[in-house]
Structures are given as structure tokens and as C-alpha cells.
Amino acid sequence: DAKTTQPNSMESNEEEPVHLPCNHSTISGTDYIHWYRQLPSQGPEYVIHGLTSNVNNRMASLAIAEDRKSSTLILHRATLRDAAVYYCILRDQGTYKYIFGTGTRLKVLA
Amino acid sequence: GAVVSQHPSWVICKSGTSVKIECRSLDFQATTMFWYRQFPKQSLMLMATSNEGSKATYEQGVEKDKFLINHASLTLSTLTVTSAHPEDSSFYICSADTSGSSKNIQYFGAGTRLSVL
């Protein structure tokens, strides 16, 4: 199973942009890149996903490197409610399985 | 987004008893559901893949006789922890896959915290 590597933790000031990096050097050609976030004692919440092109939605943007070996989740203006553990996950298109890495704990400072 | 309901949200049981956790997809049909376990301050660990109408597929190291999975309909999967022991205490989370739709993602339940005394 392909794996992802993320920094353990990051900090951001409120209302500033946040760039959360993820390395996935063993990604295969059909693996989609998915991002979720998890608040304490809750299930993960879908944020965004993509294959090759950069993606935008109301929550965030996803920038994917040209070689697809890394990606960056961009929160344009961090709020206190964005404090969570963010997981970068590769979705196996054959089994649909997600293999979670350790995630990045984002702390947002007021 | 799609809603996945997980019940109960919290359960306390005595050692040796069995506990059943339900996972329902409320507004879409899910051929495939997944069960995860999460210990404090750790990431989610995939336990098994639940396929509607067929046997579940368990990840390596997960005891299939201890963690019974039934996926009898396209909207319901259940996980039964049999003869629970204190080491089974954990946060159990299910997800439902939207494979076959244009989205192809998993939606997660809110989780069930199991405490075995």
C-alpha cells in the first residue's frame, strides 16, 4: 500500500493562509490523493481530493506536483474551527481502501 | 455531503460480553463499507472491508472471529465485538464508500467509543 508522509504538527495565525504538505513518492498512476480532517472524538471529515490537476472547493485548495509525488493542502484563511488533525491519504482505486498516515496536527493561534 | 450514521456513540460493557455497532448510509447506497479502530493520539487503523452480500475482508492481524462484520443491505453494516476484553477498548469508526458515483470518496461516521470494564 502506498504511504504518505506529513509533518507531525504545524501552527498558523488566525486569518492567515496555511499550506499543509504531504509526500507520497510511491504513488501509483491510478491513486487519487484525498485529504480529510478530524476533530477530537469525531470521525474524519472530507476536505478535498484530486488526481493530477489542482482542485478548489469551498473548504480548501489542493495543489498537486507535476510528478504527483507530493501535494499541498491550502487553507486560504485559517480560523479557529480549522484546528484539527489533517490526513493526506492515497485511495487505492482497486480496493477503495484508505491507508491513513500519522497526519498533521494544525494549531490555529488567535 | 452524504451522511453516515453510527450507533451507539458510546458504550460501556463488562468483560466477556458482546457489543454490536451499527453503521448506516442515510442518503446513498454503499456496496462497500470500512471499519477502523483508533487508539488515543494515534491514527486510524483499517480493520476490515465490508462488502454487501459477501464476507468481509480483514486486514492482517485482525481476528475475524472476534470482530464479526455483517453487511446485509446496501445501507447497513454492523460490527460485533465478541467476548470483549479491556484491550478492545478503543474508538471504532465506520465509513461508507461512494464508489460507482462521480465522487468516489468515503464518508465517515461519528465513531463509537467502546469502554470494556
Side-chain angles (χ1 to χ4, degrees), chain B residues 35-74:
Chain B
W35 288 95
Y36 299 82
R37 183 162 63 176
Q38 185 175 34
F39 291 108
K41 298 196 183 300
Q42 293 187 22
S43 184
L44 282 76
M45 184 192 78
L46 179 65
M47 298 175 67
T49 303
S50 172
N51 298 299
E52 186 268 336
S54 64
K55 289 184 178 180
T57 305
Y58 292 83
E59 295 298 303
Q60 192 171 8
V62 178
E63 300 175 59
K64 62 180 181 180
D65 294 331
K66 181 164 189 63
F67 299 100
L68 300 180
I69 292 171
N70 184 279
H71 193 155
S73 77
L74 287 173

PDB file of all heavy atoms in Angstrom, chain B residues 35-74:
ATOM      1  N   TRP B  35     -14.355  -0.544   8.304  1.00  0.00           N
ATOM      2  CA  TRP B  35     -14.300  -0.397   9.762  1.00  0.00           C
ATOM      3  C   TRP B  35     -12.864  -0.102  10.169  1.00  0.00           C
ATOM      4  O   TRP B  35     -11.923  -0.776   9.721  1.00  0.00           O
ATOM      5  CB  TRP B  35     -14.803  -1.652  10.466  1.00  0.00           C
ATOM      6  CG  TRP B  35     -16.293  -1.804  10.346  1.00  0.00           C
ATOM      7  CD1 TRP B  35     -16.976  -2.530   9.416  1.00  0.00           C
ATOM      8  CD2 TRP B  35     -17.283  -1.184  11.178  1.00  0.00           C
ATOM      9  NE1 TRP B  35     -18.333  -2.397   9.611  1.00  0.00           N
ATOM     10  CE2 TRP B  35     -18.552  -1.582  10.681  1.00  0.00           C
ATOM     11  CE3 TRP B  35     -17.232  -0.337  12.283  1.00  0.00           C
ATOM     12  CZ2 TRP B  35     -19.748  -1.166  11.270  1.00  0.00           C
ATOM     13  CZ3 TRP B  35     -18.420   0.075  12.860  1.00  0.00           C
ATOM     14  CH2 TRP B  35     -19.654  -0.335  12.357  1.00  0.00           C
ATOM     15  N   TYR B  36     -12.725   0.918  11.032  1.00  0.00           N
ATOM     16  CA  TYR B  36     -11.426   1.349  11.517  1.00  0.00           C
ATOM     17  C   TYR B  36     -11.434   1.330  13.046  1.00  0.00           C
ATOM     18  O   TYR B  36     -12.477   1.402  13.686  1.00  0.00           O
ATOM     19  CB  TYR B  36     -11.119   2.782  11.070  1.00  0.00           C
ATOM     20  CG  TYR B  36     -11.062   3.019   9.580  1.00  0.00           C
ATOM     21  CD1 TYR B  36     -12.224   3.210   8.835  1.00  0.00           C
ATOM     22  CD2 TYR B  36      -9.829   3.091   8.913  1.00  0.00           C
ATOM     23  CE1 TYR B  36     -12.177   3.447   7.477  1.00  0.00           C
ATOM     24  CE2 TYR B  36      -9.778   3.343   7.544  1.00  0.00           C
ATOM     25  CZ  TYR B  36     -10.952   3.515   6.840  1.00  0.00           C
ATOM     26  OH  TYR B  36     -10.898   3.756   5.495  1.00  0.00           O
ATOM     27  N   ARG B  37     -10.235   1.297  13.582  1.00  0.00           N
ATOM     28  CA  ARG B  37     -10.073   1.426  15.029  1.00  0.00           C
ATOM     29  C   ARG B  37      -9.020   2.506  15.266  1.00  0.00           C
ATOM     30  O   ARG B  37      -8.044   2.608  14.508  1.00  0.00           O
ATOM     31  CB  ARG B  37      -9.614   0.099  15.629  1.00  0.00           C
ATOM     32  CG  ARG B  37      -9.491   0.118  17.142  1.00  0.00           C
ATOM     33  CD  ARG B  37      -9.475  -1.274  17.716  1.00  0.00           C
ATOM     34  NE  ARG B  37      -8.345  -2.060  17.293  1.00  0.00           N
ATOM     35  CZ  ARG B  37      -8.089  -3.283  17.746  1.00  0.00           C
ATOM     36  NH1 ARG B  37      -8.901  -3.836  18.625  1.00  0.00           N
ATOM     37  NH2 ARG B  37      -7.063  -3.945  17.332  1.00  0.00           N
ATOM     38  N   GLN B  38      -9.233   3.282  16.317  1.00  0.00           N
ATOM     39  CA  GLN B  38      -8.300   4.367  16.615  1.00  0.00           C
ATOM     40  C   GLN B  38      -8.044   4.417  18.110  1.00  0.00           C
ATOM     41  O   GLN B  38      -8.969   4.587  18.904  1.00  0.00           O
ATOM     42  CB  GLN B  38      -8.862   5.712  16.135  1.00  0.00           C
ATOM     43  CG  GLN B  38      -7.901   6.874  16.288  1.00  0.00           C
ATOM     44  CD  GLN B  38      -8.469   8.156  15.691  1.00  0.00           C
ATOM     45  OE1 GLN B  38      -9.665   8.394  15.722  1.00  0.00           O
ATOM     46  NE2 GLN B  38      -7.590   8.991  15.147  1.00  0.00           N
ATOM     47  N   PHE B  39      -6.782   4.292  18.501  1.00  0.00           N
ATOM     48  CA  PHE B  39      -6.383   4.433  19.892  1.00  0.00           C
ATOM     49  C   PHE B  39      -6.018   5.891  20.146  1.00  0.00           C
ATOM     50  O   PHE B  39      -5.709   6.632  19.197  1.00  0.00           O
ATOM     51  CB  PHE B  39      -5.220   3.490  20.203  1.00  0.00           C
ATOM     52  CG  PHE B  39      -5.630   2.035  20.181  1.00  0.00           C
ATOM     53  CD1 PHE B  39      -5.226   1.207  19.140  1.00  0.00           C
ATOM     54  CD2 PHE B  39      -6.423   1.506  21.175  1.00  0.00           C
ATOM     55  CE1 PHE B  39      -5.614  -0.130  19.108  1.00  0.00           C
ATOM     56  CE2 PHE B  39      -6.810   0.176  21.148  1.00  0.00           C
ATOM     57  CZ  PHE B  39      -6.409  -0.636  20.106  1.00  0.00           C
ATOM     58  N   PRO B  40      -6.031   6.296  21.424  1.00  0.00           N
ATOM     59  CA  PRO B  40      -5.776   7.713  21.747  1.00  0.00           C
ATOM     60  C   PRO B  40      -4.475   8.213  21.133  1.00  0.00           C
ATOM     61  O   PRO B  40      -3.442   7.541  21.199  1.00  0.00           O
ATOM     62  CB  PRO B  40      -5.722   7.709  23.276  1.00  0.00           C
ATOM     63  CG  PRO B  40      -6.595   6.562  23.667  1.00  0.00           C
ATOM     64  CD  PRO B  40      -6.373   5.513  22.620  1.00  0.00           C
ATOM     65  N   LYS B  41      -4.572   9.397  20.541  1.00  0.00           N
ATOM     66  CA  LYS B  41      -3.434  10.105  19.952  1.00  0.00           C
ATOM     67  C   LYS B  41      -2.762   9.318  18.812  1.00  0.00           C
ATOM     68  O   LYS B  41      -1.609   9.588  18.481  1.00  0.00           O
ATOM     69  CB  LYS B  41      -2.402  10.457  21.020  1.00  0.00           C
ATOM     70  CG  LYS B  41      -2.965  11.406  22.080  1.00  0.00           C
ATOM     71  CD  LYS B  41      -1.875  12.038  22.894  1.00  0.00           C
ATOM     72  CE  LYS B  41      -2.449  12.917  23.994  1.00  0.00           C
ATOM     73  NZ  LYS B  41      -3.282  14.015  23.488  1.00  0.00           N
ATOM     74  N   GLN B  42      -3.483   8.362  18.247  1.00  0.00           N
ATOM     75  CA  GLN B  42      -2.949   7.621  17.111  1.00  0.00           C
ATOM     76  C   GLN B  42      -3.848   7.814  15.901  1.00  0.00           C
ATOM     77  O   GLN B  42      -4.949   8.367  15.997  1.00  0.00           O
ATOM     78  CB  GLN B  42      -2.838   6.128  17.440  1.00  0.00           C
ATOM     79  CG  GLN B  42      -1.812   5.807  18.506  1.00  0.00           C
ATOM     80  CD  GLN B  42      -1.613   4.322  18.672  1.00  0.00           C
ATOM     81  OE1 GLN B  42      -1.901   3.534  17.775  1.00  0.00           O
ATOM     82  NE2 GLN B  42      -1.113   3.928  19.822  1.00  0.00           N
ATOM     83  N   SER B  43      -3.360   7.361  14.765  1.00  0.00           N
ATOM     84  CA  SER B  43      -4.121   7.478  13.527  1.00  0.00           C
ATOM     85  C   SER B  43      -5.153   6.353  13.423  1.00  0.00           C
ATOM     86  O   SER B  43      -5.197   5.455  14.256  1.00  0.00           O
ATOM     87  CB  SER B  43      -3.164   7.418  12.338  1.00  0.00           C
ATOM     88  OG  SER B  43      -3.848   7.617  11.135  1.00  0.00           O
ATOM     89  N   LEU B  44      -5.990   6.430  12.404  1.00  0.00           N
ATOM     90  CA  LEU B  44      -6.961   5.369  12.182  1.00  0.00           C
ATOM     91  C   LEU B  44      -6.266   4.153  11.590  1.00  0.00           C
ATOM     92  O   LEU B  44      -5.416   4.274  10.703  1.00  0.00           O
ATOM     93  CB  LEU B  44      -8.049   5.823  11.197  1.00  0.00           C
ATOM     94  CG  LEU B  44      -9.146   6.720  11.736  1.00  0.00           C
ATOM     95  CD1 LEU B  44      -8.662   8.141  11.931  1.00  0.00           C
ATOM     96  CD2 LEU B  44     -10.357   6.686  10.799  1.00  0.00           C
ATOM     97  N   MET B  45      -6.670   2.972  12.062  1.00  0.00           N
ATOM     98  CA  MET B  45      -6.135   1.732  11.537  1.00  0.00           C
ATOM     99  C   MET B  45      -7.276   0.953  10.888  1.00  0.00           C
ATOM    100  O   MET B  45      -8.286   0.671  11.533  1.00  0.00           O
ATOM    101  CB  MET B  45      -5.508   0.902  12.646  1.00  0.00           C
ATOM    102  CG  MET B  45      -4.834  -0.368  12.146  1.00  0.00           C
ATOM    103  SD  MET B  45      -4.415  -1.500  13.462  1.00  0.00           S
ATOM    104  CE  MET B  45      -6.008  -2.230  13.797  1.00  0.00           C
ATOM    105  N   LEU B  46      -7.113   0.640   9.622  1.00  0.00           N
ATOM    106  CA  LEU B  46      -8.145  -0.115   8.913  1.00  0.00           C
ATOM    107  C   LEU B  46      -8.222  -1.533   9.466  1.00  0.00           C
ATOM    108  O   LEU B  46      -7.202  -2.221   9.558  1.00  0.00           O
ATOM    109  CB  LEU B  46      -7.840  -0.145   7.417  1.00  0.00           C
ATOM    110  CG  LEU B  46      -8.817  -0.923   6.538  1.00  0.00           C
ATOM    111  CD1 LEU B  46     -10.198  -0.276   6.557  1.00  0.00           C
ATOM    112  CD2 LEU B  46      -8.302  -1.003   5.099  1.00  0.00           C
ATOM    113  N   MET B  47      -9.444  -1.943   9.830  1.00  0.00           N
ATOM    114  CA  MET B  47      -9.647  -3.293  10.350  1.00  0.00           C
ATOM    115  C   MET B  47     -10.133  -4.230   9.243  1.00  0.00           C
ATOM    116  O   MET B  47      -9.647  -5.349   9.124  1.00  0.00           O
ATOM    117  CB  MET B  47     -10.681  -3.292  11.475  1.00  0.00           C
ATOM    118  CG  MET B  47     -10.300  -2.479  12.690  1.00  0.00           C
ATOM    119  SD  MET B  47     -11.640  -2.433  13.876  1.00  0.00           S
ATOM    120  CE  MET B  47     -11.705  -4.149  14.392  1.00  0.00           C
ATOM    121  N   ALA B  48     -11.143  -3.794   8.503  1.00  0.00           N
ATOM    122  CA  ALA B  48     -11.751  -4.697   7.535  1.00  0.00           C
ATOM    123  C   ALA B  48     -12.559  -3.929   6.511  1.00  0.00           C
ATOM    124  O   ALA B  48     -12.985  -2.799   6.737  1.00  0.00           O
ATOM    125  CB  ALA B  48     -12.650  -5.697   8.250  1.00  0.00           C
ATOM    126  N   THR B  49     -12.749  -4.590   5.377  1.00  0.00           N
ATOM    127  CA  THR B  49     -13.606  -4.087   4.305  1.00  0.00           C
ATOM    128  C   THR B  49     -14.893  -4.907   4.323  1.00  0.00           C
ATOM    129  O   THR B  49     -14.841  -6.150   4.290  1.00  0.00           O
ATOM    130  CB  THR B  49     -12.924  -4.233   2.947  1.00  0.00           C
ATOM    131  OG1 THR B  49     -11.679  -3.554   2.972  1.00  0.00           O
ATOM    132  CG2 THR B  49     -13.806  -3.668   1.840  1.00  0.00           C
ATOM    133  N   SER B  50     -16.009  -4.220   4.376  1.00  0.00           N
ATOM    134  CA  SER B  50     -17.316  -4.876   4.452  1.00  0.00           C
ATOM    135  C   SER B  50     -18.006  -4.754   3.100  1.00  0.00           C
ATOM    136  O   SER B  50     -18.231  -3.641   2.626  1.00  0.00           O
ATOM    137  CB  SER B  50     -18.150  -4.194   5.545  1.00  0.00           C
ATOM    138  OG  SER B  50     -19.480  -4.652   5.538  1.00  0.00           O
ATOM    139  N   ASN B  51     -18.297  -5.871   2.479  1.00  0.00           N
ATOM    140  CA  ASN B  51     -18.924  -5.871   1.163  1.00  0.00           C
ATOM    141  C   ASN B  51     -20.342  -6.417   1.251  1.00  0.00           C
ATOM    142  O   ASN B  51     -20.567  -7.484   1.824  1.00  0.00           O
ATOM    143  CB  ASN B  51     -18.123  -6.735   0.191  1.00  0.00           C
ATOM    144  CG  ASN B  51     -16.721  -6.217  -0.005  1.00  0.00           C
ATOM    145  OD1 ASN B  51     -16.517  -5.108  -0.470  1.00  0.00           O
ATOM    146  ND2 ASN B  51     -15.733  -7.032   0.354  1.00  0.00           N
ATOM    147  N   GLU B  52     -21.288  -5.678   0.681  1.00  0.00           N
ATOM    148  CA  GLU B  52     -22.693  -6.087   0.735  1.00  0.00           C
ATOM    149  C   GLU B  52     -22.880  -7.450   0.090  1.00  0.00           C
ATOM    150  O   GLU B  52     -22.433  -7.671  -1.040  1.00  0.00           O
ATOM    151  CB  GLU B  52     -23.552  -5.034   0.045  1.00  0.00           C
ATOM    152  CG  GLU B  52     -25.048  -5.273   0.172  1.00  0.00           C
ATOM    153  CD  GLU B  52     -25.628  -6.076  -0.968  1.00  0.00           C
ATOM    154  OE1 GLU B  52     -25.027  -6.080  -2.058  1.00  0.00           O
ATOM    155  OE2 GLU B  52     -26.689  -6.700  -0.773  1.00  0.00           O
ATOM    156  N   GLY B  53     -23.482  -8.361   0.832  1.00  0.00           N
ATOM    157  CA  GLY B  53     -23.809  -9.676   0.302  1.00  0.00           C
ATOM    158  C   GLY B  53     -22.674 -10.666   0.273  1.00  0.00           C
ATOM    159  O   GLY B  53     -22.832 -11.764  -0.252  1.00  0.00           O
ATOM    160  N   SER B  54     -21.523 -10.310   0.798  1.00  0.00           N
ATOM    161  CA  SER B  54     -20.409 -11.259   0.815  1.00  0.00           C
ATOM    162  C   SER B  54     -19.621 -11.110   2.107  1.00  0.00           C
ATOM    163  O   SER B  54     -19.879 -10.213   2.903  1.00  0.00           O
ATOM    164  CB  SER B  54     -19.498 -11.061  -0.398  1.00  0.00           C
ATOM    165  OG  SER B  54     -18.905  -9.790  -0.351  1.00  0.00           O
ATOM    166  N   LYS B  55     -18.659 -11.989   2.279  1.00  0.00           N
ATOM    167  CA  LYS B  55     -17.866 -11.964   3.517  1.00  0.00           C
ATOM    168  C   LYS B  55     -16.950 -10.755   3.542  1.00  0.00           C
ATOM    169  O   LYS B  55     -16.445 -10.299   2.512  1.00  0.00           O
ATOM    170  CB  LYS B  55     -17.040 -13.245   3.620  1.00  0.00           C
ATOM    171  CG  LYS B  55     -17.863 -14.491   3.904  1.00  0.00           C
ATOM    172  CD  LYS B  55     -16.954 -15.707   4.078  1.00  0.00           C
ATOM    173  CE  LYS B  55     -17.773 -16.947   4.402  1.00  0.00           C
ATOM    174  NZ  LYS B  55     -16.914 -18.153   4.569  1.00  0.00           N
ATOM    175  N   ALA B  56     -16.709 -10.304   4.760  1.00  0.00           N
ATOM    176  CA  ALA B  56     -15.794  -9.175   4.928  1.00  0.00           C
ATOM    177  C   ALA B  56     -14.362  -9.619   4.672  1.00  0.00           C
ATOM    178  O   ALA B  56     -14.015 -10.785   4.833  1.00  0.00           O
ATOM    179  CB  ALA B  56     -15.926  -8.621   6.338  1.00  0.00           C
ATOM    180  N   THR B  57     -13.547  -8.664   4.302  1.00  0.00           N
ATOM    181  CA  THR B  57     -12.109  -8.904   4.112  1.00  0.00           C
ATOM    182  C   THR B  57     -11.374  -8.219   5.243  1.00  0.00           C
ATOM    183  O   THR B  57     -11.486  -6.999   5.400  1.00  0.00           O
ATOM    184  CB  THR B  57     -11.646  -8.334   2.764  1.00  0.00           C
ATOM    185  OG1 THR B  57     -12.437  -8.866   1.713  1.00  0.00           O
ATOM    186  CG2 THR B  57     -10.185  -8.670   2.533  1.00  0.00           C
ATOM    187  N   TYR B  58     -10.619  -9.001   6.012  1.00  0.00           N
ATOM    188  CA  TYR B  58      -9.943  -8.462   7.186  1.00  0.00           C
ATOM    189  C   TYR B  58      -8.495  -8.134   6.887  1.00  0.00           C
ATOM    190  O   TYR B  58      -7.823  -8.841   6.125  1.00  0.00           O
ATOM    191  CB  TYR B  58     -10.021  -9.469   8.338  1.00  0.00           C
ATOM    192  CG  TYR B  58     -11.424  -9.643   8.875  1.00  0.00           C
ATOM    193  CD1 TYR B  58     -12.329 -10.497   8.251  1.00  0.00           C
ATOM    194  CD2 TYR B  58     -11.854  -8.944  10.000  1.00  0.00           C
ATOM    195  CE1 TYR B  58     -13.621 -10.647   8.719  1.00  0.00           C
ATOM    196  CE2 TYR B  58     -13.146  -9.092  10.485  1.00  0.00           C
ATOM    197  CZ  TYR B  58     -14.023  -9.938   9.840  1.00  0.00           C
ATOM    198  OH  TYR B  58     -15.309 -10.085  10.314  1.00  0.00           O
ATOM    199  N   GLU B  59      -8.007  -7.065   7.521  1.00  0.00           N
ATOM    200  CA  GLU B  59      -6.598  -6.713   7.399  1.00  0.00           C
ATOM    201  C   GLU B  59      -5.757  -7.684   8.236  1.00  0.00           C
ATOM    202  O   GLU B  59      -6.259  -8.323   9.176  1.00  0.00           O
ATOM    203  CB  GLU B  59      -6.368  -5.278   7.859  1.00  0.00           C
ATOM    204  CG  GLU B  59      -7.057  -4.250   6.978  1.00  0.00           C
ATOM    205  CD  GLU B  59      -6.559  -4.269   5.541  1.00  0.00           C
ATOM    206  OE1 GLU B  59      -5.338  -4.108   5.335  1.00  0.00           O
ATOM    207  OE2 GLU B  59      -7.408  -4.442   4.620  1.00  0.00           O
ATOM    208  N   GLN B  60      -4.509  -7.768   7.885  1.00  0.00           N
ATOM    209  CA  GLN B  60      -3.605  -8.674   8.580  1.00  0.00           C
ATOM    210  C   GLN B  60      -3.554  -8.343  10.066  1.00  0.00           C
ATOM    211  O   GLN B  60      -3.448  -7.168  10.451  1.00  0.00           O
ATOM    212  CB  GLN B  60      -2.203  -8.551   7.976  1.00  0.00           C
ATOM    213  CG  GLN B  60      -1.246  -9.639   8.414  1.00  0.00           C
ATOM    214  CD  GLN B  60       0.053  -9.597   7.620  1.00  0.00           C
ATOM    215  OE1 GLN B  60       0.298  -8.669   6.838  1.00  0.00           O
ATOM    216  NE2 GLN B  60       0.883 -10.594   7.804  1.00  0.00           N
ATOM    217  N   GLY B  61      -3.660  -9.363  10.890  1.00  0.00           N
ATOM    218  CA  GLY B  61      -3.592  -9.175  12.335  1.00  0.00           C
ATOM    219  C   GLY B  61      -4.924  -8.923  13.008  1.00  0.00           C
ATOM    220  O   GLY B  61      -4.987  -8.866  14.239  1.00  0.00           O
ATOM    221  N   VAL B  62      -5.986  -8.770  12.245  1.00  0.00           N
ATOM    222  CA  VAL B  62      -7.314  -8.542  12.824  1.00  0.00           C
ATOM    223  C   VAL B  62      -8.056  -9.880  12.886  1.00  0.00           C
ATOM    224  O   VAL B  62      -8.196 -10.566  11.883  1.00  0.00           O
ATOM    225  CB  VAL B  62      -8.124  -7.536  11.981  1.00  0.00           C
ATOM    226  CG1 VAL B  62      -9.521  -7.354  12.565  1.00  0.00           C
ATOM    227  CG2 VAL B  62      -7.396  -6.201  11.912  1.00  0.00           C
ATOM    228  N   GLU B  63      -8.506 -10.241  14.086  1.00  0.00           N
ATOM    229  CA  GLU B  63      -9.158 -11.544  14.279  1.00  0.00           C
ATOM    230  C   GLU B  63     -10.596 -11.515  13.761  1.00  0.00           C
ATOM    231  O   GLU B  63     -11.466 -10.845  14.334  1.00  0.00           O
ATOM    232  CB  GLU B  63      -9.168 -11.891  15.765  1.00  0.00           C
ATOM    233  CG  GLU B  63      -7.798 -12.000  16.406  1.00  0.00           C
ATOM    234  CD  GLU B  63      -7.931 -12.230  17.904  1.00  0.00           C
ATOM    235  OE1 GLU B  63      -8.558 -13.240  18.283  1.00  0.00           O
ATOM    236  OE2 GLU B  63      -7.460 -11.392  18.680  1.00  0.00           O
ATOM    237  N   LYS B  64     -10.874 -12.277  12.737  1.00  0.00           N
ATOM    238  CA  LYS B  64     -12.212 -12.254  12.145  1.00  0.00           C
ATOM    239  C   LYS B  64     -13.261 -12.871  13.055  1.00  0.00           C
ATOM    240  O   LYS B  64     -14.441 -12.512  12.976  1.00  0.00           O
ATOM    241  CB  LYS B  64     -12.216 -12.950  10.791  1.00  0.00           C
ATOM    242  CG  LYS B  64     -11.839 -14.414  10.852  1.00  0.00           C
ATOM    243  CD  LYS B  64     -11.879 -15.023   9.463  1.00  0.00           C
ATOM    244  CE  LYS B  64     -11.535 -16.488   9.496  1.00  0.00           C
ATOM    245  NZ  LYS B  64     -11.567 -17.101   8.136  1.00  0.00           N
ATOM    246  N   ASP B  65     -12.858 -13.797  13.925  1.00  0.00           N
ATOM    247  CA  ASP B  65     -13.824 -14.417  14.836  1.00  0.00           C
ATOM    248  C   ASP B  65     -14.154 -13.513  16.014  1.00  0.00           C
ATOM    249  O   ASP B  65     -15.155 -13.713  16.696  1.00  0.00           O
ATOM    250  CB  ASP B  65     -13.285 -15.754  15.354  1.00  0.00           C
ATOM    251  CG  ASP B  65     -13.167 -16.775  14.240  1.00  0.00           C
ATOM    252  OD1 ASP B  65     -13.967 -16.682  13.275  1.00  0.00           O
ATOM    253  OD2 ASP B  65     -12.277 -17.638  14.309  1.00  0.00           O
ATOM    254  N   LYS B  66     -13.320 -12.539  16.243  1.00  0.00           N
ATOM    255  CA  LYS B  66     -13.555 -11.613  17.339  1.00  0.00           C
ATOM    256  C   LYS B  66     -14.354 -10.399  16.865  1.00  0.00           C
ATOM    257  O   LYS B  66     -15.194  -9.886  17.578  1.00  0.00           O
ATOM    258  CB  LYS B  66     -12.238 -11.145  17.932  1.00  0.00           C
ATOM    259  CG  LYS B  66     -12.430 -10.192  19.092  1.00  0.00           C
ATOM    260  CD  LYS B  66     -11.171 -10.046  19.905  1.00  0.00           C
ATOM    261  CE  LYS B  66     -11.474  -9.267  21.172  1.00  0.00           C
ATOM    262  NZ  LYS B  66     -12.420  -9.967  22.044  1.00  0.00           N
ATOM    263  N   PHE B  67     -14.062  -9.966  15.676  1.00  0.00           N
ATOM    264  CA  PHE B  67     -14.724  -8.791  15.110  1.00  0.00           C
ATOM    265  C   PHE B  67     -15.588  -9.262  13.945  1.00  0.00           C
ATOM    266  O   PHE B  67     -15.138  -9.339  12.802  1.00  0.00           O
ATOM    267  CB  PHE B  67     -13.694  -7.760  14.658  1.00  0.00           C
ATOM    268  CG  PHE B  67     -12.825  -7.244  15.770  1.00  0.00           C
ATOM    269  CD1 PHE B  67     -11.538  -7.737  15.957  1.00  0.00           C
ATOM    270  CD2 PHE B  67     -13.300  -6.267  16.633  1.00  0.00           C
ATOM    271  CE1 PHE B  67     -10.735  -7.258  16.981  1.00  0.00           C
ATOM    272  CE2 PHE B  67     -12.505  -5.786  17.670  1.00  0.00           C
ATOM    273  CZ  PHE B  67     -11.218  -6.279  17.845  1.00  0.00           C
ATOM    274  N   LEU B  68     -16.862  -9.544  14.256  1.00  0.00           N
ATOM    275  CA  LEU B  68     -17.779 -10.075  13.247  1.00  0.00           C
ATOM    276  C   LEU B  68     -18.420  -8.932  12.478  1.00  0.00           C
ATOM    277  O   LEU B  68     -18.966  -8.011  13.073  1.00  0.00           O
ATOM    278  CB  LEU B  68     -18.865 -10.923  13.914  1.00  0.00           C
ATOM    279  CG  LEU B  68     -18.379 -12.123  14.713  1.00  0.00           C
ATOM    280  CD1 LEU B  68     -19.566 -12.865  15.319  1.00  0.00           C
ATOM    281  CD2 LEU B  68     -17.557 -13.061  13.848  1.00  0.00           C
ATOM    282  N   ILE B  69     -18.355  -9.014  11.172  1.00  0.00           N
ATOM    283  CA  ILE B  69     -18.910  -7.962  10.328  1.00  0.00           C
ATOM    284  C   ILE B  69     -19.993  -8.549   9.455  1.00  0.00           C
ATOM    285  O   ILE B  69     -19.809  -9.584   8.814  1.00  0.00           O
ATOM    286  CB  ILE B  69     -17.813  -7.315   9.468  1.00  0.00           C
ATOM    287  CG1 ILE B  69     -16.850  -6.528  10.365  1.00  0.00           C
ATOM    288  CG2 ILE B  69     -18.411  -6.411   8.403  1.00  0.00           C
ATOM    289  CD1 ILE B  69     -15.619  -6.016   9.660  1.00  0.00           C
ATOM    290  N   ASN B  70     -21.130  -7.842   9.422  1.00  0.00           N
ATOM    291  CA  ASN B  70     -22.261  -8.238   8.581  1.00  0.00           C
ATOM    292  C   ASN B  70     -22.704  -7.036   7.767  1.00  0.00           C
ATOM    293  O   ASN B  70     -22.885  -5.946   8.300  1.00  0.00           O
ATOM    294  CB  ASN B  70     -23.416  -8.749   9.447  1.00  0.00           C
ATOM    295  CG  ASN B  70     -24.568  -9.247   8.606  1.00  0.00           C
ATOM    296  OD1 ASN B  70     -25.387  -8.489   8.120  1.00  0.00           O
ATOM    297  ND2 ASN B  70     -24.596 -10.546   8.397  1.00  0.00           N
ATOM    298  N   HIS B  71     -22.872  -7.232   6.474  1.00  0.00           N
ATOM    299  CA  HIS B  71     -23.282  -6.142   5.576  1.00  0.00           C
ATOM    300  C   HIS B  71     -24.460  -6.649   4.772  1.00  0.00           C
ATOM    301  O   HIS B  71     -24.329  -6.995   3.601  1.00  0.00           O
ATOM    302  CB  HIS B  71     -22.084  -5.792   4.676  1.00  0.00           C
ATOM    303  CG  HIS B  71     -22.240  -4.500   3.934  1.00  0.00           C
ATOM    304  ND1 HIS B  71     -21.144  -3.787   3.512  1.00  0.00           N
ATOM    305  CD2 HIS B  71     -23.321  -3.804   3.525  1.00  0.00           C
ATOM    306  CE1 HIS B  71     -21.554  -2.706   2.865  1.00  0.00           C
ATOM    307  NE2 HIS B  71     -22.860  -2.700   2.863  1.00  0.00           N
ATOM    308  N   ALA B  72     -25.614  -6.693   5.443  1.00  0.00           N
ATOM    309  CA  ALA B  72     -26.773  -7.374   4.876  1.00  0.00           C
ATOM    310  C   ALA B  72     -27.534  -6.554   3.851  1.00  0.00           C
ATOM    311  O   ALA B  72     -28.300  -7.103   3.066  1.00  0.00           O
ATOM    312  CB  ALA B  72     -27.717  -7.785   6.005  1.00  0.00           C
ATOM    313  N   SER B  73     -27.331  -5.244   3.870  1.00  0.00           N
ATOM    314  CA  SER B  73     -28.041  -4.419   2.903  1.00  0.00           C
ATOM    315  C   SER B  73     -27.109  -3.339   2.395  1.00  0.00           C
ATOM    316  O   SER B  73     -26.002  -3.158   2.909  1.00  0.00           O
ATOM    317  CB  SER B  73     -29.289  -3.786   3.535  1.00  0.00           C
ATOM    318  OG  SER B  73     -28.919  -2.688   4.355  1.00  0.00           O
ATOM    319  N   LEU B  74     -27.551  -2.600   1.403  1.00  0.00           N
ATOM    320  CA  LEU B  74     -26.713  -1.557   0.816  1.00  0.00           C
ATOM    321  C   LEU B  74     -26.602  -0.316   1.691  1.00  0.00           C
ATOM    322  O   LEU B  74     -25.890   0.622   1.335  1.00  0.00           O
ATOM    323  CB  LEU B  74     -27.259  -1.174  -0.571  1.00  0.00           C
ATOM    324  CG  LEU B  74     -27.030  -2.214  -1.661  1.00  0.00           C
ATOM    325  CD1 LEU B  74     -27.760  -1.823  -2.929  1.00  0.00           C
ATOM    326  CD2 LEU B  74     -25.543  -2.383  -1.960  1.00  0.00           C
TER     327      LEU B  74
END
